[in-house]
């Protein structure tokens, strides 16, 4: 009699123990107001008409690379495109970290895929919690750099919404001293372009920047992101990237979104979101259930409530889906709220205002 088959028993040990990243879609919900994934609330209007789907696409479509390079203010040799910034996080670990030998470092509370990607590849993780105000603990980072090959800094940080101080980022390059890559995740930088470090690529050969079309460009479903780095680093990443990371429809729509008129539409979206964010912050700050509305430079806000469980469940039951952050280090009673349309923001405010203090 054959032995019963078990896929889990055949899986690598670290995969057996892995807790997968709980994306907004995995967490589910039956809402009509989706404010848990930092998406733009309305769909952009793009049409794909190419009839050459029988042919493989370019690995790095020239019009996408050239247009993004022009937008970001770098040369095309400093850009690689892939399936969202998440693929870039993995590519860097695959290309630069030896399992069982090297480590990555990150500073929670922050984006969960840094940890999940490292664990997936069997690469050690060094965790240096952020200081009060969610700035970098530079002294602790300096003491933790042994064997670190990749250091992830989310800027502005997800889920807290704050940028990292410029002087701290510069000091970070001093203490790392080219011993590791410093990866600055700028997924939300369109909402605060004045904080971008893209111009620093001329100064720091170990700087890597992650970008995406998912947020301000309103193309989360497209799954298109970019890595900006020196040509030397890009050439290393090209050794390990998939043969066809962008499908033909993705490349065509990304190229269209990066035309001057597409960038202008994106900037108008940013202005709208900023206005709605300010209104949402102001009104939530007046409610008895709100303890703290934290400053944000992104398309979401982090709010500490006096009873976050009640707020989260009550709004969930009304079809308003927020992101529960209470399990993250230092985020007790905190919920993350994506900034939606003005009507969606008003609905959130009204729903929370309707809850009486216990």
């Amino acid at each position: 009699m054959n032995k019963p088959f078990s896929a889990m028993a055949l899986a690598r040990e670290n995969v057996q123990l892995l807790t997968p990243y709980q994306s907004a879609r995995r967490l589910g919900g039956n809402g009509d107001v989706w404010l848990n994934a930092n998406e733009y609330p309305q769909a952009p209007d793009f049409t794909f008409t190419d009839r050459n789907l029988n042919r493989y696409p370019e690995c790095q479509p020239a019009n996408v690379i050239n247009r993004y390079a022009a937008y970001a203010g770098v040369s095309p040799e400093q850009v690689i495109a892939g399936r969202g910034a998440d693929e870039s996080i993995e590519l860097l670990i695959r290309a630069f970290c030896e399992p069982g030998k090297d480590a990555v470092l990150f500073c929670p509370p922050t984006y969960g895929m840094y940890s999940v990607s490292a664990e997936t590849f069997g690469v050690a993780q060094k965790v240096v919690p952020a200081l009060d105000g969610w700035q970098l603990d530079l002294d602790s980072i300096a003491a933790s750099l042994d064997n670190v090959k990749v250091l992830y800094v989310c800027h502005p940080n997800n889920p807290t919404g704050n940028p990292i101080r410029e002087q701290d980022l510069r000091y970070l390059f001093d203490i790392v001293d080219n011993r590791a890559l410093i990866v600055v995740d700028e997924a939300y930088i369109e909402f605060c372009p004045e904080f971008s470090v893209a111009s620093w690529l001329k100064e720091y050969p170990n700087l890597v920047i992650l970008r995406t079309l998912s947020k301000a460009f309103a193309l989360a479903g497209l799954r298109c992101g970019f890595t900006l780095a020196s040509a030397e680093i890009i050439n290393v990443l090209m050794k390990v990237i998939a043969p066809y990371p962008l499908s033909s429809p993705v490349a065509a729509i990304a190229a269209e979104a990066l035309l001057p008129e597409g960038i202008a539409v994106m900037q108008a979206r940013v202005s709208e979101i900023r206005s709605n964010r300010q209104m949402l912050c102001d009104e939530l700050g007046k409610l008895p259930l709100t303890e703290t509305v934290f400053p944000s430079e992104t398309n979401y806000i982090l709010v500490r409530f006096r009873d976050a469980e009640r707020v989260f469940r009550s709004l969930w039951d009304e079809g308003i889906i927020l992101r529960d952050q209470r399990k993250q280090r230092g985020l007790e009673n905190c919920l993350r709220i994506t900034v939606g349309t003005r009507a969606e923001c008003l609905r959130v405010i009204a729903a929370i205002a309707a809850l009486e203090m216990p």
Side-chain angles (χ1 to χ4, degrees), residues 198-219:
S199 64
W200 295 14
L201 288 167
K202 301 183 184 78
E203 301 176 61
Y204 302 112
N206 60 327
L207 170 61
V208 179
I209 298 170
L210 308 185
R211 295 283 191 86
T212 183
L213 299 186
S214 294
K215 309 304 180 184
F217 281 90
L219 291 169

Side-chain angles (χ1 to χ4, degrees), residues 124-146:
Q125 304 169 54
K126 294 199 175 183
V127 177
V128 179
L131 298 170
D132 292 344
W134 302 305
Q135 293 296 328
L136 302 178
D137 184 346
L138 294 165
D139 290 339
S140 295
I141 291 173
S144 304
L145 288 174
D146 287 350

Side-chain angles (χ1 to χ4, degrees), residues 43-57:
D45 186 16
F46 290 103
T47 302
F48 175 71
T49 59
D50 196 331
R51 295 184 178 274
N52 293 323
L53 291 178
N54 58 309
R55 302 298 182 190
Y56 286 110

Side-chain angles (χ1 to χ4, degrees), residues 19-144:
T19 300
Y21 179 70
Q22 295 300 303
S23 68
R25 294 301 170 263
R26 278 195 175 190
L27 291 171
N30 294 305
D32 60 328
V33 179
W34 292 91
L35 303 179
N36 64 338
N38 301 339
E39 303 148 319
Y40 186 72
Q42 296 169 317
D45 186 16
F46 290 103
T47 302
F48 175 71
T49 59
D50 196 331
R51 295 184 178 274
N52 293 323
L53 291 178
N54 58 309
R55 302 298 182 190
Y56 286 110
E58 295 176 79
C59 176
Q60 295 291 295
N63 55 353
V64 176
I65 297 299
N66 291 337
R67 289 175 190 177
Y68 199 85
Y71 165 70
V74 300
S75 70
E77 294 75 23
Q78 293 176 289
V79 180
I80 189 171
R83 294 179 287 258
D86 287 334
E87 183 175 27
S88 298
I89 293 168
E90 289 199 355
L91 282 177
L92 290 161
I93 295 173
R94 286 168 54 197
F96 290 96
C97 296
E98 294 278 0
K101 176 182 176 184
D102 298 323
V104 303
L105 188 150
F106 51 89
C107 304
T110 194
Y111 184 42
M113 281 305 296
Y114 309 142
S115 174
V116 170
S117 294
E119 194 167 347
T120 299
F121 290 105
V123 171
Q125 304 169 54
K126 294 199 175 183
V127 177
V128 179
L131 298 170
D132 292 344
W134 302 305
Q135 293 296 328
L136 302 178
D137 184 346
L138 294 165
D139 290 339
S140 295
I141 291 173
S144 304

